[in-house]
Amino acid sequence: MKINLKNISKLLFLQFAILSFAFGQPPTITSFTPTTGGTGTTVTITGTNFTGVRAVTFGGTEATSFVVVSATSITAVVAIGKTGTISVTTSDGIATSTGIFTFISAQTNVSGVISNSTTWNLVGSPYVVQGNILIQSGIILTIDPGVSVKFDGNYYIEVAGGIVANGTANNHITFTSNKPQPNKGDWLDMRFDDSAIDATTGGNDDYLSGSVLNYCIFEFGKGMYIYNSIPYISNSIFRNNAYNPYNDAYSNGGGFNNVLIRTNFQSGSGSFVFRNNKIENNDAGIGLVQLGGLVVQKVLNNTFIKNGTAVGFAPHGGGTIIVKGNIIYSNSTAMDFTRGTNQSQIENNLVIANDVSIHFYQGTPQFNRNAFCNNKDGVTICCSNNGTFGYFVSNTFYSNGGNTLVDRPTSLTNNNFLTNTKVSYILNGYSGFNAQYNYWGTTDLSVIATKINNYLDAFSSPQVTINPILTSPDTSAPISPPQTNKIPTTGGVK
């Protein structure tokens, strides 16, 4: 048999050409210029196979933008970055420069009154706050994605006009300390005045216009004070902050005098939306004060982890407070209700592994479809305050320690009580109080009676009626999660 080597060679060459066409060639970087620069610098990258470019990075940070000029040339704009190599990613591979791009950081010192609308951009970042800042009424400060605002001392930003800090998932706007080794409370806060430009929202609580803090990071400060103003706060991170210094009589009595983010609404209308944020490792969380007006405060789908009081309530009058779909994990107190009797709506939250689930001083909130799991203690009443506390409907109490319910809930129906450690439900309700249609983990009335501390244990206490009971868990209440103290990865109760 005679082998034609020439034909085999042609065939191999043809196959190689087909594969090269189908899969392409990985990119290469041969040079770039300039070799140093800061935020906003345009860099020309020279190489080969720049087709299907997906990303360009400087020191591991994605470029603000890039343009593929040709298969051998790219221009890219440097974002806030760090010294390191340049990389180009295409559908066929990743090219990394052999040379180093040296990032030079700019700095803009700021303080005093902002009397003309202005933009803080990447070219001037970081902006170092060296004195208190006031955004005058009617004036808007815009902060671009990726900008860093660093506080040189115990200073604040006061918003009498508007602020538009609209970052992105890949380029947060950061408010932080300028100290080389920062600590909680290094700077003061951001405060919104009555004259600040309010945010407007759509039918799904989506941001439309006005003051906004979106994809921001607040760290090493003292949080935020919101007086009769409606900023839109979403997708942001609050971490390693001290509590805010503002205290008032409206939140005394229950224990959330010192919180990180405090609202105080006395008039006006609209929706204050605090949504999809992460509040972690702060001295405290958010305190919601409602004195008048028609503003609806909405705390939606946030995660509160390892704070003092996660959510504080002081609903004296006016609009409704809605806390829905949040994860409240491993805080000193999950929810604290202080002075004020207006109803609040607490729905579809996952309250897990806190020291105390709910602390009442006063109030009649509505609890619906929440899951209280693995908490060290349940619901507590302070100060021997007489009255009734809360409507509990279709909630699940699972594997909690301590007393699950203490004193006199206003209403207790269609709840599931499952494998709680101490199994002591102290229901010192008003005379003839009904706790009917609940599932107690058993259908044996004599066993249930041993779990409930009422007039049978102290004849001075009123009688509690529990029959009829549910013979199986109420399906309108949340399905109990596994007994775990791990941080949940999905928000709220579905």
Side-chain angles (χ1 to χ4, degrees), residues 197-362:
I197 299 172
D198 289 340
T200 60
T201 56
N204 294 320
D205 296 315
D206 297 322
Y207 170 76
L208 296 179
S209 65
S211 294
V212 60
L213 301 170
N214 183 43
Y215 285 112
C216 294
I217 296 173
F218 289 84
E219 60 185 8
F220 305 116
K222 296 178 183 176
M224 194 174 297
Y225 180 68
I226 301 168
Y227 176 72
N228 233 31
S229 178
I230 305 178
Y232 189 97
I233 305 173
S234 59
N235 301 309
S236 294
I237 299 170
F238 296 82
R239 64 191 181 198
N240 302 319
N241 295 285
Y243 62 79
N244 193 275
Y246 280 89
N247 292 321
D248 56 61
Y250 304 113
S251 54
N252 288 341
F256 84 86
N257 282 333
N258 301 318
V259 295
L260 176 65
I261 303 162
R262 177 185 296 275
T263 67
N264 187 336
F265 289 100
Q266 301 185 16
S267 63
S269 60
S271 294
F272 166 69
V273 178
F274 187 83
R275 183 181 193 181
N276 296 330
N277 301 289
K278 185 176 184 180
I279 304 91
E280 183 174 16
N281 195 35
N282 304 285
D283 286 354
I286 188 169
L288 307 166
V289 178
Q290 191 92 29
L291 301 178
L294 299 175
V295 173
V296 178
Q297 300 191 59
K298 299 181 179 181
V299 178
L300 310 173
N301 303 315
N302 304 282
T303 302
F304 297 85
I305 301 176
K306 297 182 179 179
N307 306 286
T309 295
V311 186
F313 299 77
H316 293 259
T320 304
I321 295 175
I322 299 172
V323 175
K324 184 176 181 179
N326 301 280
I327 293 173
I328 306 176
Y329 173 85
S330 193
N331 302 276
S332 296
T333 300
M335 287 177 270
D336 198 330
F337 294 83
T338 68
R339 300 180 187 274
T341 58
N342 270 31
Q343 290 183 355
S344 302
Q345 298 175 15
I346 320 299
E347 303 175 2
N348 301 86
N349 300 285
L350 178 57
V351 183
I352 184 169
N354 301 280
D355 290 343
V356 175
S357 299
I358 308 167
H359 177 264
F360 274 116
Y361 181 86
Q362 192 176 22

Side-chain angles (χ1 to χ4, degrees), residues 9 45 78 178 185 208 228 311-312 321 324 364 367 406 425 432 449-450 479:
S9 177
I45 305 168
V78 179
N178 197 36
L208 296 179
N228 233 31
V311 186
I321 295 175
K324 184 176 181 179
T364 53
F367 292 87
V406 179
Y425 309 112
T450 65
I479 299 173

Side-chain angles (χ1 to χ4, degrees), residues 52-211:
V53 177
R54 295 176 176 176
V56 177
T57 64
F58 294 86
T61 301
E62 286 194 14
T64 301
S65 62
F66 64 87
V67 175
V68 179
V69 179
S70 69
T72 60
S73 180
I74 296 173
T75 59
V77 179
V78 179
I80 290 181
K82 58 184 178 181
T83 297
T85 57
I86 297 175
S87 69
V88 174
T89 301
T90 73
S91 55
D92 297 308
I94 301 174
T96 302
S97 66
T98 55
I100 298 295
F101 178 81
T102 302
F103 182 81
I104 301 173
S105 182
Q107 176 175 314
T108 304
N109 298 331
V110 290
S111 65
V113 177
I114 298 177
S115 55
N116 294 292
S117 294
T118 188
T119 298
W120 291 355
N121 54 34
L122 284 170
V123 175
S125 183
Y127 289 82
V128 179
V129 179
Q130 298 187 325
N132 295 328
I133 291 176
L134 170 65
I135 306 170
Q136 281 189 333
S137 179
I139 300 303
I140 297 176
L141 171 63
T142 301
I143 305 178
D144 285 347
V147 166
S148 181
V149 181
K150 297 185 176 183
F151 290 77
D152 232 358
N154 198 37
Y155 305 125
Y156 60 80
I157 295 177
E158 183 172 349
V159 183
I163 185 169
V164 177
N166 206 347
T168 68
N170 294 324
N171 279 304
H172 282 70
I173 297 167
T174 303
F175 298 86
T176 189
S177 169
N178 197 36
K179 292 183 178 180
Q181 294 182 326
N183 294 296
K184 289 182 178 180
D186 279 351
W187 58 283
L188 198 47
D189 60 14
M190 182 178 290
R191 52 192 68 172
F192 289 85
D193 296 346
D194 193 359
S195 63
I197 299 172
D198 289 340
T200 60
T201 56
N204 294 320
D205 296 315
D206 297 322
Y207 170 76
L208 296 179
S209 65
S211 294

